[in-house]
C-alpha cells in the first residue's frame, strides 16, 4: 500500500508513519517544519522529506491513501490536490480504525490518566511477552515506536484522545475507534477552543460510551461523579464495570500497594496514579493477565514520559516534571507530590501554556489547584497569549483565579530561571508542570539546583 502523510512530523503522525514502514508499506510525507525526536527518527528510516514545505506534485493517483494530520490546514495545497483527484483521505484515527477493524479494540478514554493507563497496560503486556498492537501518546521504556500495527495480533490498545480528528473532520478521535473493551478514567472540562461549554464537552464522552460495540464492556472510575453519571445513564447494551482507588500507604517516601499477597512496593505514587493502576488491572485481566501476574509486572513500572518524571534527586531534595496543565491534573499532581514528600517543602510551578489555560474565561477553573503546594508559582508568556489571539491576561486575573494570596507570578523566562537559582532547595521538592518549557528552560539543567 502506498500512503502519503500530510504533516508527517507530528508526534502521533510520525509514529504511525514508522509503524506502516515497519509493516512494509510505501510511505511518503510532507511538513512545513519537523523537530526532534520526530526528525531524527524519520531520517533514520529514510522517511524524512527532502525539503520542508507543501508540494502538490507529490499527490498523484498512484497513492492508495492520504493520512491528514491536525497540523495541516483545510486549505493545505497537498490536501486540495488530493481532494481534486478524488483520493481516499483519512484522518489519523480513521486510518488506525481501518488497520484495526478486525482486531479486539481496547480504547482508554478520559480527560486525564489515559496515557498513564495505556502505558501501564503495555508495560504489563511487554513484561509478560504478550504481543499486542498499540497506539500511545508517550515514549515508553523498552518500546522503540509508540504505534505498532501487525496483521496477526488480536488485541490493539488505543489511547482515546477526545481532541478533533483532522482539519476536515471535526469529530473527536475516540468517537471513531468503536471499542470492544473501553475504559473511562475521568471527565474534567478541557479544550475550550473546541468545546466551548462544559455540557458540550461532557457530551463527547456520552457519544464515546455509546460507540462501544454491542456486547462490549466499559470499566469506569466510580470515584468521578461525572464519569459515573455518563456511564450509568447509557442505554448501550454493554457491561459496566466500576473501579476505585485501591488501598495503599506511604512509608518513608515509599508507596506500598495492598495486595492479597501483602504490601507491594511500587515505583509510581499519588492517589490519581493508584486509581489509574486499578483501571489498568481490570483491562489487563480482560486481556488474559491474572491478578498475580499484573502485580508482578506493575511493580517495575516507572511511569510514562513527562508524567511525574523524576528529573533530579539530591541528598535532601528532589525534582519532578509533569505534563499536567488542566486544572484537575494540576491539582491531582500537586497533591500527589505533597503526599509522597510530606516532610519536604513543596515548590510547585505551573506554566499556563495551552489555549484553555490562557483563556481569561477559563482561568476560574484553577481555583484551589495549587493549594497543596507550600510555595506556588505560575508562569505564562504574554507572547503565547498574543500568538493564540487571546485577550491579554493580567497578574490580577491569575491571582484571583487561583485564590491564593501568596501566589508568585512570572511572565519573563529569565526572571523565572533566576527564581529557581535563588531558591535554597535543601529539604524541598520541586515540581515543574507544563506542556511547554517555561520560555526555554532546559530541564536537564535543573539538577544544578537540587542538593
Amino acid at each position: 500500500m502506498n500512503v502519503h502523510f500530510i504533516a508527517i512530523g507530528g508526534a502521533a503522525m510520525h509514529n504511525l508513519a514508522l509503524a506502516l514502514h515497519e509493516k512494509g508499506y510505501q510511505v511518503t510525507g510532507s511538513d512545513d517544519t519537523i523537530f526532534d525526536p520526530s526528525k531524527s527518527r524519520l531520517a533514520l528510516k529514510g522517511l524524512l522529506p527532502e525539503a520542508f514545505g507543501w508540494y502538490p506534485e507529490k499527490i498523484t493517483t498512484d497513492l492508495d491513501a492520504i493520512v491528514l494530520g491536525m497540523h495541516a490546514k483545510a486549505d493545505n495545497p497537498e490536501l486540495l490536490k488530493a481532494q481534486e483527484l478524488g483520493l481516499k483521505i483519512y484522518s489519523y484515527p480513521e486510518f488506525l480504525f481501518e488497520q484495526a477493524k478486525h482486531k479486539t479494540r481496547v480504547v482508554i478514554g478520559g480527560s486525564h490518566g489515559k496515557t498513564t493507563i495505556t502505558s501501564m497496560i503495555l508495560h504489563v503486556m511487554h513484561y509478560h511477552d504478550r504481543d499486542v498492537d498499540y497506539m500511545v501518546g508517550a515514549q515508553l521504556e523498552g518500546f522503540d515506536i509508540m504505534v505498532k500495527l501487525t496483521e496477526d495480533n488480536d488485541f490493539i490498545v488505543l489511547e482515546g484522545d477526545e481532541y478533533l480528528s483532522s482539519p476536515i473532520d471535526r469529530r473527536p478521535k475516540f468517537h471513531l475507534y468503536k471499542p470492544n473493551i473501553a475504559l473511562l478514567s475521568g471527565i474534567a472540562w478541557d479544550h475550550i477552543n473546541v468545546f466551548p461549554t462544559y455540557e458540550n464537552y461532557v457530551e463527547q464522552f456520552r457519544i464515546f460510551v455509546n460507540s462501544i460495540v454491542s456486547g462490549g464492556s466499559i470499566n469506569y472510575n466510580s470515584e468521578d461523579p461525572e464519569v459515573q453519571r455518563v456511564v450509568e445513564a447509557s442505554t448501550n447494551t454493554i457491561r459496566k464495570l466500576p473501579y476505585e482507588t485501591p488501598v495503599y500507604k506511604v512509608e518513608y517516601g515509599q508507596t506500598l500497594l495492598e495486595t492479597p499477597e501483602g504490601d507491594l512496593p511500587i515505583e509510581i505514587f499519588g492517589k490519581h496514579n493508584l486509581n489509574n493502576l486499578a483501571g489498568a488491572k481490570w483491562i489487563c485481566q480482560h486481556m488474559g493477565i491474572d491478578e498475580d501476574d499484573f502485580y508482578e509486572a506493575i511493580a517495575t513500572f516507572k511511569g510514562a514520559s513527562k508524567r511525574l518524571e523524576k528529573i533530579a534527586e539530591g541528598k535532601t531534595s528532589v525534582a519532578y516534571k509533569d505534563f499536567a496543565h488542566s486544572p484537575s491534573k494540576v491539582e491531582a499532581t500537586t497533591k500527589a507530590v505533597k503526599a509522597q514528600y510530606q516532610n519536604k517543602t513543596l515548590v510547585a510551578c505551573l506554566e499556563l501554556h495551552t489555549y484553555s489555560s490562557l483563556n481569561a474565561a477559563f482561568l476560574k477553573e484553577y481555583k484551589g489547584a495549587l493549594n497543596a503546594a507550600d510555595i506556588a508559582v505560575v508562569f505564562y508568556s504574554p507572547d503565547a497569549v498574543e500568538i493564540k489571539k487571546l485577550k491579554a491576561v493580567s497578574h490580577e486575573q491569575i491571582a484571583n483565579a487561583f485564590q491564593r494570596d501568596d501566589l508568585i507570578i512570572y511572565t519573563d523566562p529569565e526572571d523565572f530561571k533566576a527564581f529557581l537559582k535563588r531558591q535554597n532547595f535543601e529539604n524541598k521538592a520541586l515540581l515543574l508542570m507544563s506542556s511547554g518549557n517555561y520560555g526555554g528552560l532546559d530541564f536537564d539543567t535543573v539538577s544544578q539546583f537540587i542538593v
Side-chain angles (χ1 to χ4, degrees):
M1 197 172 180
N2 194 348
V3 182
H4 181 80
F5 284 71
I6 300 177
I8 195 172
M13 288 282 280
H14 92 276
N15 270 302
L16 178 57
L18 291 170
L20 293 182
H21 175 74
E22 192 72 21
K23 200 176 176 182
Y25 283 34
Q26 183 67 37
V27 175
T28 57
S30 299
D31 216 323
D32 54 0
T33 184
I34 303 177
F35 300 104
D36 274 325
S38 304
K39 187 176 180 180
S40 300
R41 298 172 83 205
L42 289 169
L44 190 63
K45 299 295 183 180
L47 301 180
L48 187 68
E50 289 182 9
F52 292 153
W54 311 112
Y55 298 93
E57 59 271 21
K58 289 184 178 181
I59 310 303
T60 71
T61 52
D62 293 336
L63 294 171
D64 298 302
I66 300 285
V67 181
L68 178 63
M70 271 303 293
H71 172 62
K73 301 287 189 290
D75 61 354
N76 182 283
E78 294 188 10
L79 171 59
L80 296 176
K81 180 72 176 294
Q83 289 170 325
E84 180 189 321
L85 293 177
L87 299 180
K88 181 61 182 172
I89 301 167
Y90 293 94
S91 66
Y92 179 90
E94 272 184 315
F95 196 84
L96 273 177
F97 176 77
E98 193 63 27
Q99 294 280 309
K101 61 187 177 185
H102 300 303
K103 298 177 182 289
T104 301
R105 294 174 302 283
V106 180
V107 182
I108 311 303
S111 305
H112 45 75
K114 54 185 175 286
T115 300
T116 298
I117 295 170
T118 309
S119 301
M120 286 176 173
I121 294 163
L122 294 179
H123 175 84
V124 172
M125 293 295 153
H126 186 66
Y127 182 94
H128 289 294
D129 295 319
R130 302 286 186 92
D131 201 19
V132 297
D133 288 2
Y134 55 81
M135 181 276 291
V136 63
Q139 192 62 43
L140 289 183
E141 202 174 293
F143 291 78
D144 293 330
I145 57 174
M146 301 329 299
V147 177
K148 181 175 182 177
L149 297 168
T150 67
E151 296 295 338
D152 302 328
N153 289 338
D154 176 30
F155 285 105
I156 183 166
V157 183
L158 299 164
E159 182 180 335
D161 182 7
E162 70 271 24
Y163 202 70
L164 303 181
S165 295
S166 86
I168 59 172
D169 186 346
R170 310 297 284 177
R171 292 174 295 175
K173 295 185 184 79
F174 69 167
H175 289 180
L176 305 181
Y177 296 137
K178 301 176 185 175
N180 306 93
I181 299 167
L183 181 144
L184 188 49
S185 61
I187 298 175
W189 191 22
D190 201 357
H191 308 306
I192 68 163
N193 54 320
V194 178
F195 309 113
T197 66
Y198 177 74
E199 292 72 22
N200 179 237
Y201 183 72
V202 173
E203 178 62 23
Q204 309 314 312
F205 292 90
R206 292 194 188 98
I207 295 169
F208 171 64
V209 174
N210 290 329
S211 74
I212 300 167
V213 299
S214 181
S217 67
I218 183 165
N219 291 98
Y220 64 98
N221 177 13
S222 61
E223 293 172 5
D224 185 312
E226 197 66 83
V227 166
Q228 192 163 21
R229 276 193 290 272
V230 165
V231 173
E232 294 180 1
S234 174
T235 58
N236 195 358
T237 52
I238 53 176
R239 288 180 299 149
K240 301 171 182 179
L241 307 164
Y243 67 88
E244 59 187 22
T245 305
V247 178
Y248 73 98
K249 59 189 175 185
V250 181
E251 290 184 352
Y252 308 108
Q254 172 69 65
T255 296
L256 302 168
L257 174 65
E258 186 179 292
T259 78
E261 300 300 318
D263 290 341
L264 177 71
I266 55 176
E267 299 272 355
I268 57 169
F269 63 87
K271 183 178 185 292
H272 66 303
N273 270 332
L274 273 292
N275 184 270
N276 292 335
L277 183 149
K281 181 162 79 78
W282 262 107
I283 298 298
C284 287
Q285 287 176 304
H286 290 316
M287 297 174 70
I289 300 290
D290 65 30
E291 191 173 53
D292 288 347
D293 286 343
F294 175 83
Y295 287 134
E296 180 189 336
I298 207 65
T300 63
F301 179 71
K302 291 181 169 63
S305 174
K306 299 181 185 176
R307 270 69 176 180
L308 264 180
E309 181 181 342
K310 187 187 290 185
I311 54 175
E313 186 169 20
K315 290 179 181 177
T316 70
S317 60
V318 67
Y320 285 87
K321 70 175 178 180
D322 193 276
F323 197 66
H325 49 82
S326 69
S328 60
K329 294 174 188 172
V330 170
E331 182 174 10
T333 302
T334 307
K335 284 180 175 177
V337 177
K338 186 59 186 176
Q340 189 74 3
Y341 298 100
Q342 294 174 33
N343 298 321
K344 295 187 190 299
T345 300
L346 173 57
V347 182
C349 306
L350 169 65
E351 179 181 12
L352 300 177
H353 182 70
T354 64
Y355 183 97
S356 295
S357 68
L358 290 167
N359 191 300
F362 187 77
L363 272 172
K364 64 182 184 298
E365 302 292 324
Y366 283 96
K367 181 181 178 180
L370 290 172
N371 281 2
D374 299 294
I375 300 170
V377 183
V378 168
F379 170 86
Y380 74 98
S381 167
D383 291 341
V385 178
E386 196 173 322
I387 288 166
K388 291 176 171 61
K389 295 182 170 57
L390 291 166
K391 289 181 181 176
V393 179
S394 69
H395 278 229
E396 186 180 17
Q397 283 174 303
I398 289 176
N400 289 339
F402 282 85
Q403 294 285 294
R404 193 167 163 152
D405 294 338
D406 61 348
L407 186 70
I408 302 167
I409 302 170
Y410 289 108
T411 56
D412 185 294
E414 295 308 315
D415 289 345
F416 175 69
K417 289 176 199 172
F419 162 80
L420 291 179
K421 288 177 183 176
R422 284 196 308 272
Q423 290 295 302
N424 174 7
F425 277 103
E426 187 174 347
N427 205 38
K428 285 181 179 173
L430 172 64
L431 172 60
L432 297 164
M433 294 176 283
S434 178
S435 57
N437 65 0
Y438 295 89
L441 176 67
D442 182 354
F443 290 101
D444 291 337
T445 65
V446 170
S447 58
Q448 68 187 266
F449 310 131
I450 302 303
V451 293

